[in-house]
Amino acid sequence: MRMYDLIEKKKTGKVLSSEEIRWMVLSYTKGEIPDYQMSAMTMAICFQGLNEKETLDLTLAMRDSGDCMDLSGIQGIKADKHSTGGVGDKTSLALAPIIAALGIPMAKMAGRGLGHTGGTIDKLECFPGFTTALSEESFIENVNTIKIAIAGQTANLAPADKKLYALRDVTATVDQMSLIASSIMSKKLACGSDVIVLDVKTGSGAFMKKREDAKALAEAMVRIGIGAGKKTSAIITDMDQPLGNAVGNSIEVIEAIEALSGRGPEDFMEVVYALGSKILVLSGAARQEPEARQMMQECIACGAAKQKLAEFVKAQGGDASYVFDTDKFEKADETFLVCATQDGYVQSIEAKAIGTACMTLGGGRETKDDVIDPAVGIYLVKKRGDFVQKGEPVAYIYANSKEKGDAAVWQVLNAYSFGEKEVESVPIVKEIIDGVI
Ligand code: URA
């Protein structure tokens, strides 16, 4: 096979065979196809697209380019959840313990934050001693014994995607739907769970700004999941404003603990219940979503979910006493107030700007190697639709430097817009894309 011929074939709108795609991906991973040929291919794909079968073939080839987790040693139907990333998205921290407490094994790989979006690993590391660097044996043993483990992605997980993504990033070929869907799903499939539930965010703070793009991505990923033999569903959720009230690292962990104590913000709980009920139905633990929701609510009310979080933190080396005494989390030195500039309703809170303000404080990473400050963050007292009076605080900023705190005050204030018009509430879950095999 010659890469030249495959580029020509895709350039002229023809369909690549499974063998051609597999050969191309594996040869590229081994360094046998140069970047210039692969970038010609990705650009041809941008113009000609990939059909459903080609997209699945590309995903499976990338999945198979490196290590795949073998979860066969874990009893039961294993579940995983993925979010396309947002601001204030601490969903996994609450969802995973609830699902595990209900007896469904949660075997999850998570990532760190980059840019304006946060990452689950950074948040979990707010518990002193907590580690996601688990061996495959400990990962499997923890899921078997306490039904939950969250690990960092191994270095050799879908290496073809790592290489291809870096190439797409510098050749203006990131924003092609089949390439995005196969990139995300190759990593999810390599993690080996039976049930995959996806949270595709849409809005100003999301990777997919437009609702129709989020829907196309969700559909493409669900088709891939099903094609690969997994029970897969997606929900499309609003990321026009941050999720919940807390944005930062330990402040988000505290909000997740509050959620497991029955005091979670409404929008956040809605996302947790929507994703969780999908997992419970797809894994066969509940027949229907109302029943699943009730199971989750009872699990929180009786304290089992919070207890599971503590068990999980302890099993991964963390200090579980923080779960029961959140005052122990490290605090930032200074608190700054952001106050409303006029009477009226909060019309919008630009999520990306809030994420960027958190990065200014040191709570997020501009580059992969930045060290984050877990104690800083932003607490949004007022959300979209709330009435405020001029001078009333709309947000608190927790900072470890006056200069950074002052800069963040302006960023957060500029993220808010106020107006006289009452704001219609929009559902946080915009759409559900189902697919059961
Ligand atoms: N995230 C990924 O993992 N891959 C993409 O292509 C885009 C976002």
Side-chain angles (χ1 to χ4, degrees):
M1 247 181 257
R2 288 198 321 153
M3 187 62 179
Y4 179 96
D5 299 328
L6 302 195
I7 297 168
E8 181 69 24
K9 201 169 169 186
K10 187 42 70 187
K11 186 185 81 178
T12 51
K14 301 199 177 68
V15 174
L16 299 173
S17 72
S18 306
E19 295 70 36
E20 286 167 336
I21 290 176
R22 187 158 279 262
W23 173 83
M24 172 179 82
V25 169
L26 300 182
S27 307
Y28 179 60
T29 313
K30 284 191 265 173
E32 291 165 9
I33 291 173
D35 280 346
Y36 55 80
Q37 283 192 309
M38 199 56 167
S39 35
M41 174 59 84
T42 52
M43 191 56 85
I45 291 172
C46 284
F47 284 102
Q48 297 291 0
L50 293 175
N51 69 21
E52 195 176 323
K53 178 159 183 307
E54 289 176 300
T55 307
L56 177 61
D57 287 337
L58 176 63
T59 313
L60 298 181
M62 293 203 292
R63 175 197 67 184
D64 297 338
S65 65
D67 299 338
C68 288
M69 288 285 286
D70 176 9
L71 301 185
S72 59
I74 299 173
Q75 300 113 37
I77 296 178
K78 282 77 71 180
D80 195 358
K81 167 253 167 191
H82 177 79
S83 156
T84 56
V87 180
D89 184 9
K90 69 287 289 177
T91 310
S92 295
L93 302 180
L95 177 66
I98 297 172
I99 297 301
L102 289 168
I104 307 301
M106 278 299 289
K108 193 170 158 42
M109 297 252 174
R112 293 189 183 276
L114 187 62
H116 68 279
T117 62
T120 299
I121 296 184
D122 297 321
K123 292 169 199 170
L124 285 169
E125 285 177 352
C126 294
F127 291 101
F130 190 96
T131 180
T132 50
L134 298 178
S135 66
E136 195 165 332
E137 296 75 53
S138 324
F139 183 83
I140 288 174
E141 193 189 322
N142 287 4
V143 184
N144 263 331
T145 50
I146 61 165
K147 303 278 179 239
I148 177 171
I150 298 184
Q153 287 179 4
T154 63
N156 199 34
L157 190 92
D161 172 63
K162 209 170 281 167
K163 202 169 167 191
L164 196 58
Y165 189 78
L167 186 74
R168 288 165 55 214
D169 207 21
V170 293
T171 54
T173 54
V174 165
D175 62 350
Q176 203 283 337
M177 213 49 84
S178 293
L179 293 179
I180 300 170
S182 58
S183 165
I184 296 172
M185 289 303 285
S186 64
K187 290 170 282 200
K188 279 289 111 183
L189 293 175
C191 295
S193 284
D194 310 302
V195 166
I196 300 172
V197 173
L198 304 156
D199 179 7
V200 181
K201 308 265 181 210
T202 180
S204 71
F207 181 56
M208 289 291 148
K209 306 270 179 265
K210 290 197 249 154
R211 164 103 176 251
E212 60 269 29
D213 290 343
K215 183 170 184 188
L217 177 61
E219 287 174 345
M221 293 197 292
V222 169
R223 277 196 295 267
I224 292 170
I226 292 169
K230 307 292 181 182
K231 290 180 178 174
T232 313
S233 281
I235 65 171
I236 297 174
T237 62
D238 179 62
M239 191 33 72
D240 256 337
Q241 66 173 346
L243 183 63
N245 301 96
V247 179
N249 290 281
S250 49
I251 184 177
E252 287 191 39
V253 176
I254 294 169
E255 188 160 84
I257 294 171
E258 284 292 294
L260 296 179
S261 311
R263 297 184 291 268
E266 208 179 306
D267 60 344
F268 174 48
M269 294 316 296
E270 191 48 39
V271 174
V272 170
Y273 289 138
L275 289 164
S277 50
K278 283 275 157 234
I279 293 177
L280 293 173
V281 170
L282 290 180
S283 62
R287 278 183 304 274
Q288 278 165 355
E289 286 176 27
E291 180 193 350
R293 224 167 238 259
Q294 199 181 345
M295 286 164 72
M296 296 174 77
Q297 283 160 348
E298 285 169 5
C299 180
I300 293 173
C302 74
K306 188 166 163 181
Q307 193 62 42
K308 184 57 73 179
L309 174 67
E311 255 181 83
F312 157 60
V313 169
K314 182 160 179 258
Q316 296 198 203
D319 185 342
S321 67
Y322 281 56
V323 173
F324 302 103
D325 182 3
T326 54
D327 283 342
K328 284 185 155 185
F329 284 102
E330 198 189 324
K331 306 242 169 359
D333 293 338
E334 295 189 62
T335 302
F336 295 75
L337 296 187
V338 180
C339 298
T341 48
Q342 63 174 87
D343 288 355
Y345 295 92
V346 176
Q347 303 290 314
S348 63
I349 310 171
E350 230 241 291
K352 186 168 180 192
I354 300 291
T356 306
C358 185
M359 205 159 63
T360 301
L361 292 168
R365 285 189 189 81
E366 257 167 276
T367 71
K368 264 198 330 232
D369 301 320
D370 286 349
V371 175
I372 61 152
D373 181 344
V376 300
I378 300 152
Y379 189 84
L380 307 169
V381 186
K382 299 289 180 185
K383 299 276 306 269
R384 186 175 53 214
D386 287 343
F387 183 76
V388 291
Q389 286 181 321
K390 187 175 175 185
E392 192 182 352
V394 295
Y396 298 112
I397 288 176
Y398 304 110
N400 272 327
S401 114
K402 174 150 179 20
E403 198 191 339
K404 289 179 182 173
D406 283 339
V409 166
W410 285 110
Q411 285 172 304
V412 172
L413 192 56
N414 285 330
Y416 272 86
S417 75
F418 305 101
E420 284 169 16
K421 223 175 47 195
E422 268 194 60
V423 181
E424 219 181 292
S425 77
V426 289
I428 180 99
V429 178
K430 291 174 174 290
E431 208 160 336
I432 294 175
I433 315 286
D434 266 330
V436 185
I437 54 161

